[in-house]
Amino acid sequence: MTDRTITRAQLSEAVYQEVGLSRNESADLLEAVLGEISNALARGEAVKISSFGSFAVRSKGQRVGRNPKTGEEVPILPRRVLVFRPSQLLKKRINDGDTVKSGTE
Amino acid sequence: MTKSELIARLAESNPHLYQRDVERIVTTIFDEIAAALARGDRVELRGFGAFSVKRRDARQGRNPRTGEAVAVEGKAIPFFKTGKQLRERLNTEGQ
């Protein structure tokens, strides 16, 4: 386990290496991919990426919450949240690539 | 929207690219994210969200049909936390 954080920089570098585009254009395309997905979700549409997983928008009703510091009750307004469901393939890949640490517990 | 619809949309707004290249771009991005998670890395995409791996300990489960106790192995679960900007968009745009 390497415990690093991957950001846009590494992803667009991978696109640059894989496809014959300039670094700038690779970064733009990564942004376009994230943008299209975000737009669809903002429209309330689910996004399904085969062999990776799906993103869905779920509506939540109003409920009573509590300020954990003051104990004060505050209403939590109805809102929309995003849920990600990983595909079986992604789950399998993560567990198979991860034998080193999980074996020690 | 499916992956192929995503590719079609991107191809439409990038007419200078072959559809085949757009397909490779999209595949590469998700493959890189999956590879990072398989290594145990986190993937943070500001404004969009962050992917990480959460660990579930081994536990004693039960077959709900027979009531029989079964050992469930510890496993890793991919997890996505929505970014602030996207979360805000979900609640301000066309409900």
Side-chain angles (χ1 to χ4, degrees):
Chain A
M1 197 176 245
T2 47
D3 273 327
R4 286 188 309 158
T5 296
I6 304 301
T7 62
R8 279 177 171 77
Q10 289 92 331
L11 292 188
S12 71
E13 178 67 20
V15 171
Y16 168 75
Q17 299 283 345
E18 184 68 26
V19 192
L21 300 177
S22 72
R23 281 207 160 81
N24 254 330
E25 206 173 5
S26 301
D28 288 349
L29 260 302
L30 170 61
E31 221 46 63
V33 169
L34 298 178
E36 289 291 355
I37 295 174
S38 302
N39 290 345
L41 293 168
R43 289 194 299 269
E45 220 179 288
V47 177
K48 293 180 188 170
I49 308 294
S50 63
S51 82
F52 185 80
S54 61
F55 301 87
V57 182
R58 203 174 279 172
S59 295
K60 295 235 177 181
Q62 178 166 339
R63 64 189 169 92
V64 178
R66 200 178 282 276
N67 181 329
K69 200 173 281 185
T70 63
E72 193 187 348
E73 277 190 3
V74 278
I76 296 176
L77 298 175
R79 68 215 155 94
R80 296 200 302 180
V81 295
L82 183 53
V83 284
F84 172 65
R85 284 202 58 201
S87 73
Q88 288 301 322
L89 212 85
L90 180 63
K91 285 197 229 170
K92 185 172 186 309
R93 195 166 166 187
I94 284 170
N95 280 287
D96 291 352
D98 198 29
T99 44
V100 186
K101 198 168 182 183
S102 56
T104 61
E105 279 157 356
Chain B
M1 183 167 74
T2 61
K3 183 177 169 185
S4 46
E5 287 163 356
L6 170 64
I7 291 165
R9 262 177 201 278
L10 291 161
E12 208 173 296
S13 43
N14 293 276
H16 59 297
L17 297 178
Y18 290 112
Q19 169 125 358
R20 166 167 44 90
D21 288 333
V22 177
E23 213 172 312
R24 276 174 74 196
I25 291 164
V26 173
T27 300
T28 299
I29 292 170
F30 287 104
D31 202 57
E32 268 320 291
I33 297 174
L37 294 174
R39 290 194 301 270
D41 290 347
R42 227 175 94 79
V43 179
E44 188 178 307
L45 303 165
R46 285 279 161 88
F48 182 75
F51 296 90
S52 59
V53 177
K54 289 199 169 176
R55 233 149 249 303
R56 296 280 177 266
D57 286 339
R59 62 185 169 86
Q60 198 67 242
R62 207 170 271 283
N63 180 330
R65 198 188 300 236
T66 64
E68 194 186 347
V70 280
V72 180
E73 277 182 54
K75 59 188 168 191
I77 305 282
F79 179 78
F80 178 75
K81 183 171 192 275
T82 313
K84 195 177 173 196
Q85 209 183 314
L86 181 54
R87 200 182 333 129
E88 284 169 0
R89 275 190 73 186
L90 292 178
N91 289 294
T92 48
E93 287 176 33
Q95 314 237 3

